[in-house]
Amino acid sequence: MNVSTEERGGAKVVRLEGALDVAAALELRDLLATVLEPGAKVLLDLAAVSLIDSSGVGILVTAHRLADARGAAIVLAAPPGPVGRVFELTRTNRLLRIFPTVEEGLAALAA
Amino acid sequence: MTRRGRGGSEERWSEILGVLTRESEYDRRLDMLLELVSRASGLPSAHVYLLDEGGGRFHLQRSRLPAGVHGVETGGAPEGGAGSVSPGPPLELSRTAADESERTVDTPAGRLRSVPLGLDGDLIGLLQLGPVEDDLPRRARQALEPIRFPLALALHRARDEHALRQRLDSALARIDVARRLEGSALDLDRFVSLLLELALRSTGTEAGFVATVDPHGGPLAIRSQRGFPEGVAEQLDLSPEAGFFDWAPAGEGGALVLHDLETAARLGIRSLLAVPLADGDRPLGVFALVNFGQARTFEAGSLELLETYAGQIKLMLRNARLFEDFTGEYLQTIKSLARSLDARRALTRGHHERMADVAEGIARALALPEEEVDAIRTAALVHDVGLAGVVEAEAYIADVEHPMVGASLVEHLPLHPWVSSAVGTHHEWFDGWGFPQGLKGEEIPLGGRVLAAAELLVELATGDAVHGPMPRDRIAAELEARSGSQLDPRVAAATMQALPGLPLYTTTEEGEG
């Protein structure tokens, strides 16, 4: 999985590309632990995620809990159709903050 | 023409033992042997008794009566034609020292000569022949002497084979019982396994499993799995303590994710997609697809299929759970109905509960496995429910038929099959004189034989409108007297052993009578 990070509108935008499987989830866990510092605003851009499984969804749920615990904020944006279906099938769509586009996600973080 | 002397004797040997090879059915074998004895001795009545296992009583096995005479006690009336009805020989005899020797006895079937049958110096039974005046006629004695030993041998072998056949039938019945017990669970597992295989094929996934939640509070555990490398599925500990999955409570949406990434990586799992299966707020299980090699895309089409299969598996699990819930509630209703019957009269108050305690005590004395003890207890709690709803005018019919009616009320439930069989046979007698089917010996399921003993004890200990509660020492005497006739001797012996500790009386009844 490729990961790139940029600052946009006061938020860190983390762009994920490729499969978010067990190996990628282990890498992402360390990255998110670093970027989710107290007060941070983080957007995960999922537009280029080709696959997500229960380990990938698990790390996203963990990131939301970590953000709540640290007083940070995290949103997910632009999940492709199959990725969105996985959130529904695992019933995590109600635990995660998901927006259809990066812009909508950034707007929510800025509010 | 029968040859005489040594040659004639050999011919008789051959004829007697030949019965065992020509005929396999026990009663028919004995009929043929008695016919042979009768023909050789010239005496028309012949009855054969064999000693029971305890060696204390002789039980009538078969009778041969003179042509035209029907024995009313043995029930062995010949087919067709009118004949006089006379009392048959007694069904059983207590063993006495006099039985060791040949003697003349007066019986309800007339004056007979009682001839001991022995093997290796041990008495195994009696052959009673008649009618006689004081001794056997000369011709009968000459014919009988050489065939006593082969006759004893043939009877002994016939009984042993009969016992073996009964044991085989019992073993086959147990296998059938096990199949029935596993039937519903097997159907569910087969269906789940089939859906799992279809899901793997249609989504191009390497492996998968269905895990279910134990409705009685046990942990999530794999019920069916396919495609895993050897030993890997066994290492997947899905209990909440192990933390492999993180399954949020229903209040939080019931979301399911893979939490223990290290274990997944250690097991070589590349990707795993697990779908929670729930019925409203009740978690039912997990349906998971697993890839070990190249991570494959769970593309839109595969996810739709996955959702469809998950829906079907959920439906199966939910139906199984609903049927289990229904069974529990239905059984409670049947038990309440049985209790309400008891409450109609002072003498039967608490009858079913007391029966359950006593039957359980007897079942434990027989060292039965726990699931069979439970089945007997459940059967005792509902055994007379077939009497419910009976109107006075039909009381006699209901009394005869209530075991079968009761059995029919529980036989289609996924309970241990001993429950319905015990309810249906709790009024059968070991000697075949019970009702409603007139089953005999081990034709009666063991559960029914235990309930029969428990019911006798509870009725004697309760008393009736005329007699007060019978004390334990007299109940012990009744047990002994009815062993082998009303009661299975093995069950009666176990009951005797358990008797001092059985809860037969309320605190006010004990010691009365």
Side-chain angles (χ1 to χ4, degrees):
Chain A
M1 158 163 275
N2 294 320
V3 180
S4 58
T5 308
E6 63 172 324
E7 290 280 341
R8 275 177 70 181
K12 283 178 190 165
V13 176
V14 180
R15 182 176 167 79
L16 307 176
E17 186 180 346
L20 188 39
D21 54 14
V22 173
L26 281 163
E27 289 174 32
L28 193 58
R29 183 172 63 184
D30 296 337
L31 174 75
L32 290 173
T34 308
V35 299
L36 281 171
E37 54 196 18
K41 293 180 176 180
V42 176
L43 181 145
L44 294 184
D45 181 355
L46 305 178
V49 170
S50 59
L51 172 149
I52 190 164
D53 72 353
S54 294
S55 61
V57 179
I59 213 65
L60 299 180
V61 171
T62 302
H64 276 66
R65 288 178 184 157
L66 190 62
D68 287 346
R70 289 183 176 178
I74 186 168
V75 297
L76 311 179
V83 173
R85 287 292 292 131
V86 170
F87 291 145
E88 288 170 13
L89 285 171
T90 55
R91 301 176 74 159
T92 49
N93 52 328
R94 285 183 278 182
L95 299 180
L96 304 169
R97 298 175 70 198
I98 307 167
F99 296 91
T101 64
V102 171
E103 286 67 32
E104 285 172 271
L106 287 173
L109 282 174
Chain B
M1 185 177 178
T2 306
R3 284 182 289 154
R4 299 199 177 275
R6 185 180 171 79
S9 168
E10 283 170 2
E11 192 174 279
R12 287 275 186 236
W13 266 80
S14 165
E15 199 175 352
I16 288 169
L17 295 177
V19 166
L20 300 181
T21 53
R22 288 200 306 277
E23 178 60 48
S24 61
E25 206 266 314
Y26 181 66
D27 287 350
R28 183 73 195 123
R29 279 177 165 180
L30 265 52
D31 285 344
M32 290 169 77
L33 290 171
L34 287 181
E35 185 189 346
L36 205 147
V37 167
S38 190
R39 190 158 28 97
S41 65
L43 295 170
S45 292
H47 315 285
V48 64
Y49 290 84
L50 290 177
L51 261 183
D52 62 15
E53 280 182 15
R57 300 181 83 77
F58 295 100
H59 294 277
L60 180 66
Q61 304 295 304
R62 293 299 281 177
S63 270
R64 179 180 169 80
L65 300 168
V69 176
H70 301 181
V72 293
E73 271 194 54
T74 61
E79 286 179 14
S84 64
V85 175
S86 72
L91 291 172
E92 55 181 72
L93 304 168
S94 293
R95 181 181 183 175
T96 66
D99 293 318
E100 306 289 334
S101 312
E102 188 183 310
R103 62 188 174 123
T104 300
V105 290
D106 287 310
T107 78
R111 174 165 274 209
L112 304 170
R113 191 70 178 169
S114 178
V115 180
L117 298 171
L119 276 181
D120 299 329
D122 294 327
L123 184 66
I124 66 153
L126 300 173
L127 176 66
Q128 294 194 343
L129 296 164
V132 296
E133 290 183 4
D134 290 316
D135 198 351
L136 286 173
R138 190 174 170 185
R139 174 195 159 187
R141 178 162 302 289
Q142 281 178 340
L144 199 59
E145 279 309 323
I147 65 171
R148 270 172 67 176
F149 179 67
L151 184 65
L153 192 61
L155 287 168
H156 186 65
R157 270 191 52 192
R159 183 167 67 172
D160 278 358
E161 282 181 28
H162 182 55
L164 273 175
R165 278 210 182 86
Q166 284 187 320
R167 251 180 266 163
L168 178 64
D169 288 345
S170 172
L172 290 172
R174 276 173 179 271
I175 291 169
D176 184 45
V177 159
R179 278 194 191 132
R180 277 188 60 185
L181 261 184
E182 290 170 2
S184 54
L186 275 180
D187 288 343
L188 178 63
D189 287 342
R190 207 177 294 134
F191 192 80
V192 166
S193 178
L194 177 67
L195 284 172
L196 183 57
E197 186 179 351
L198 288 171
L200 297 186
R201 278 195 199 164
S202 57
T203 59
T205 309
E206 289 175 59
F209 65 82
V210 173
T212 53
V213 175
D214 183 338
H216 306 296
L220 181 70
I222 291 178
R223 182 161 194 147
S224 180
Q225 54 99 356
R226 296 184 85 88
F228 279 86
E230 197 175 337
V232 170
E234 289 72 20
Q235 293 181 57
L236 275 177
D237 181 355
L238 304 184
S239 62
E241 302 76 35
F244 185 75
F245 284 130
D246 180 350
W247 196 345
E252 295 175 27
L256 179 77
V257 296
L258 198 166
H259 180 69
D260 186 354
L261 297 173
E262 283 75 11
T263 295
R266 180 173 58 78
L267 295 175
I269 294 174
R270 182 76 183 263
S271 66
L272 182 152
L273 185 52
V275 178
L277 307 171
D279 179 19
D281 286 348
R282 285 209 299 185
L284 296 173
V286 169
F287 177 35
L289 299 181
V290 184
N291 278 312
F292 290 90
Q294 181 67 41
R296 293 171 204 232
T297 304
F298 292 112
E299 43 86 22
S302 296
L303 292 172
E304 292 302 325
L305 285 170
L306 176 62
E307 189 174 16
T308 303
Y309 292 126
Q312 287 176 326
I313 292 171
K314 185 172 81 176
L315 197 62
M316 281 294 288
L317 295 177
R318 190 174 62 183
N319 285 347
R321 189 79 68 85
L322 279 174
F323 195 47
E324 198 175 296
D325 289 351
F326 163 78
T327 299
E329 285 171 19
Y330 179 84
L331 195 58
Q332 274 314 117
T333 306
I334 297 282
K335 286 177 185 171
S336 302
L337 199 54
R339 274 200 303 275
S340 73
L341 286 171
D342 295 348
R344 287 183 189 175
R345 285 173 294 164
L347 275 171
T348 57
R349 202 154 290 142
H351 174 76
H352 279 84
E353 279 84 357
R354 209 185 300 188
M355 266 281 286
D357 292 340
V358 172
E360 181 181 339
I362 298 170
R364 291 199 187 285
L366 282 163
L368 296 179
E370 200 58 32
E371 64 269 26
E372 289 169 6
V373 174
D374 284 348
I376 285 173
R377 185 176 175 82
T378 301
L381 282 170
V382 301
H383 70 281
D384 275 340
V385 73
L387 288 169
V390 170
V391 294
E392 200 59 37
E394 295 169 348
Y396 173 72
I397 294 170
D399 198 40
V400 173
E401 293 182 349
H402 81 270
M404 301 306 281
V405 174
S408 72
L409 290 173
V410 292
E411 71 180 343
H412 294 300
L413 300 178
L415 299 170
H416 194 294
W418 278 31
V419 176
S420 63
S421 68
V423 170
T425 57
H426 73 276
H427 278 299
E428 300 290 348
W429 280 34
F430 194 71
D431 61 9
W433 287 88
F435 65 90
Q437 298 180 80
L439 298 177
K440 188 177 180 183
E442 293 192 5
E443 289 173 354
I444 308 165
L446 185 53
R449 284 179 263 152
V450 171
L451 288 200
E455 179 127 274
L456 173 69
L457 260 57
V458 169
E459 284 180 359
L460 294 176
T462 305
D464 54 34
V466 180
H467 307 93
M470 185 182 280
R472 249 176 242 267
D473 56 340
R474 283 184 54 207
I475 288 179
E478 283 292 328
L479 263 178
E480 200 173 337
R482 301 190 196 207
S483 172
S485 54
Q486 181 175 356
L487 304 178
D488 175 0
R490 185 162 76 98
V491 173
T495 307
M496 191 70 88
Q497 180 198 329
L499 188 60
L502 291 178
L504 293 177
Y505 306 93
T506 61
T507 46
T508 53
E509 287 171 347
E510 175 86 79
E512 287 183 22

